Amino acid sequence: MQHLEQDKREKIQQEYCADEAKELISEEYNEELYLKAIELYKKPFLQLLQDAAIVHKEHWPEADIQRSALLSIKTGSCPEDCSYCPQSARYETDIKKHPLMEVQDIVEKAKVAKENGAERFCMGAAWRKPPRGEQFERVLEAIREVKALGMEACVTLGLLNDEQSRKLKEAGLDYYNHNVDTSKDYYSKIITTRKFKDRVETLRNLRRNDINICCGGILGMGESAEDRMKLVAFLATMDPQPESIPINFLVKFDGTPLENQDDVDVLDFVRTIAVARILIPKARLRLSAGRMNLSREAQILCLAAGANSIFSGDILLTSPLPGYSFDNKLIDDVTKPLNLLNEKEYVN
């Protein structure tokens, strides 16, 4: 009898948590936040950057930049049809597919990332949703091993149910990356094998299990400025707001539907970062994929607009990155004071 009562109480609690999660994460954005985002986006560029700098300094006075690394632990053969993704089984691309890596091989990559300054190690697997059994258990073990290195652990594995979210939390997971990619209105033009609401349901499961959310999008997929601001408004509407927000510059892969898409204007990319900084002040804004499409100066402009994290290393899942040496120097150049004694051109 006691077991029945306990089961009943647990069911009631789960239903309450589910309702609470739905209230906190809606599929819709707050209209006032969207209008504010549009207003900010249309400001003169320098005024917008000034506004973003004020907010950034208030919430991140040390002006630090966090380094993260992202490893593809299982590459290719994904059943989804994301128009930007070379890992989709539906497109003919030249990426090298590989099955789920062994834990020790993952840990070795994490050690290299840590030695090069990465504080967070992210692991991505090209699944629609994690498979049951040994492979999921292997991911859980990898999380525990990364945590043992003293690093933050993050994974991106596709859609999650509540049980999977709970097991990830028990393994010590700090962050789960689950990008919504674009606005709800534009979503079906980019992906048809799942819906925007499916993404949101996974976000609810994460919040229900007290896992920090890493959620952002990709710019340059043919979306309008209004779509970009709807994406920002959606993220800003979440309560609590995401702790981490990746902002990606579209990387175009041969064989994908977006291979010939025009690049988004770099200043529009920077504008979006600045608006996100103002409306989501406490989040780590992550300059993510597409950095090879941006000059050193453009990347610094993104950091000045409010980005305060980069994915470092040679590759981001399947997208090339500048490498640890470039990244470490870039961060030093923008975060350390100029040593006049070592700069001969400034010595009298």
Side-chain angles (χ1 to χ4, degrees), residues 85-100:
C85 187
Q87 299 200 61
S88 172
R90 298 162 185 262
Y91 312 134
E92 292 293 331
T93 65
D94 60 1
I95 65 160
K96 295 181 179 179
K97 302 176 184 178
H98 67 74
L100 184 63

Side-chain angles (χ1 to χ4, degrees), residues 66-68 107 110-115 117-123 141-154 171-175:
Q66 186 189 55
R67 298 170 177 86
S68 299
V107 172
K111 288 179 179 178
V112 172
K114 183 178 181 180
E115 289 169 0
E119 300 171 30
R120 181 182 301 178
F121 190 72
C122 307
M123 297 160 274
E141 180 60 22
I143 292 169
R144 288 188 281 265
E145 291 293 330
V146 168
K147 291 287 292 180
L149 297 176
M151 303 180 77
E152 292 180 347
C154 174
L173 186 69
D174 296 295
Y175 288 83

Side-chain angles (χ1 to χ4, degrees), residues 265-330:
D265 186 281
V266 170
L267 294 189
D268 290 339
F269 186 77
V270 176
R271 281 181 181 275
T272 303
I273 292 173
V275 174
R277 171 51 67 211
I278 293 168
L279 296 183
I280 316 170
K282 296 181 180 180
R284 282 280 185 188
L285 299 186
R286 303 188 174 277
L287 192 55
S288 303
R291 288 176 53 217
M292 296 295 286
N293 299 86
L294 302 173
S295 68
R296 170 180 174 272
E297 292 73 22
Q299 293 180 52
I300 291 173
L301 193 57
C302 291
L303 298 173
N308 59 351
S309 176
I310 64 170
F311 278 104
S312 191
D314 298 315
I315 194 164
L316 180 78
L317 292 180
T318 58
S319 303
L321 287 174
Y324 288 119
S325 296
F326 175 93
D327 293 340
N328 290 338
K329 186 177 187 307
L330 176 73

Side-chain angles (χ1 to χ4, degrees), residues 62-269:
E62 295 180 359
D64 68 309
I65 299 171
Q66 186 189 55
R67 298 170 177 86
S68 299
L70 174 55
L71 173 68
S72 179
I73 61 175
K74 183 267 178 185
T75 302
S77 302
C78 180
E80 305 283 23
D81 69 350
C82 307
S83 298
Y84 53 82
C85 187
Q87 299 200 61
S88 172
R90 298 162 185 262
Y91 312 134
E92 292 293 331
T93 65
D94 60 1
I95 65 160
K96 295 181 179 179
K97 302 176 184 178
H98 67 74
L100 184 63
M101 294 172 62
E102 297 297 330
V103 173
Q104 189 55 43
D105 294 331
I106 295 172
V107 172
E108 290 303 316
K109 294 289 188 180
K111 288 179 179 178
V112 172
K114 183 178 181 180
E115 289 169 0
N116 283 277
E119 300 171 30
R120 181 182 301 178
F121 190 72
C122 307
M123 297 160 274
W127 289 320
R128 173 179 169 81
K129 58 184 178 181
R132 294 181 180 273
E134 187 275 334
Q135 291 191 79
F136 188 59
E137 293 299 322
R138 200 186 313 176
V139 172
L140 298 178
E141 180 60 22
I143 292 169
R144 288 188 281 265
E145 291 293 330
V146 168
K147 291 287 292 180
L149 297 176
M151 303 180 77
E152 292 180 347
C154 174
V155 295
T156 177
L157 312 172
L159 303 172
L160 292 180
N161 60 33
D162 188 67
E163 179 187 4
Q164 291 165 329
S165 302
R166 176 177 55 80
K167 288 184 176 180
L168 289 168
K169 178 65 177 180
E170 291 172 351
L173 186 69
D174 296 295
Y175 288 83
Y176 192 89
N177 169 255
H178 200 63
N179 293 335
V180 293
D181 294 332
T182 188
S183 72
K184 181 180 178 180
D185 293 341
Y186 197 67
Y187 193 85
S188 62
K189 295 179 175 62
I190 301 300
I191 305 162
T192 66
T193 50
R194 63 171 177 265
K195 299 185 182 301
F196 192 85
K197 67 178 182 180
D198 298 327
R199 289 290 206 186
V200 173
E201 184 57 34
T202 289
L203 296 175
R204 290 169 181 163
N205 286 330
L206 294 168
R207 276 287 180 243
R208 191 178 299 132
N209 286 279
D210 197 29
I211 296 174
N212 293 317
I213 287 176
C214 178
C215 181
I218 304 171
L219 274 58
M221 299 189 293
E223 77 286 345
S224 65
E226 288 76 15
D227 285 312
R228 293 173 204 141
M229 292 306 97
K230 287 175 182 178
L231 169 62
V232 173
F234 167 77
L235 298 170
T237 299
M238 290 171 60
D239 183 13
Q241 295 176 334
E243 289 79 11
S244 175
I245 298 177
I247 301 178
N248 299 273
F249 191 103
L250 176 67
V251 178
K252 292 171 282 189
F253 287 92
D254 291 343
T256 63
L258 295 180
E259 63 178 328
N260 296 315
Q261 181 63 46
D262 292 336
D263 284 341
V264 63
D265 186 281
V266 170
L267 294 189
D268 290 339
F269 186 77

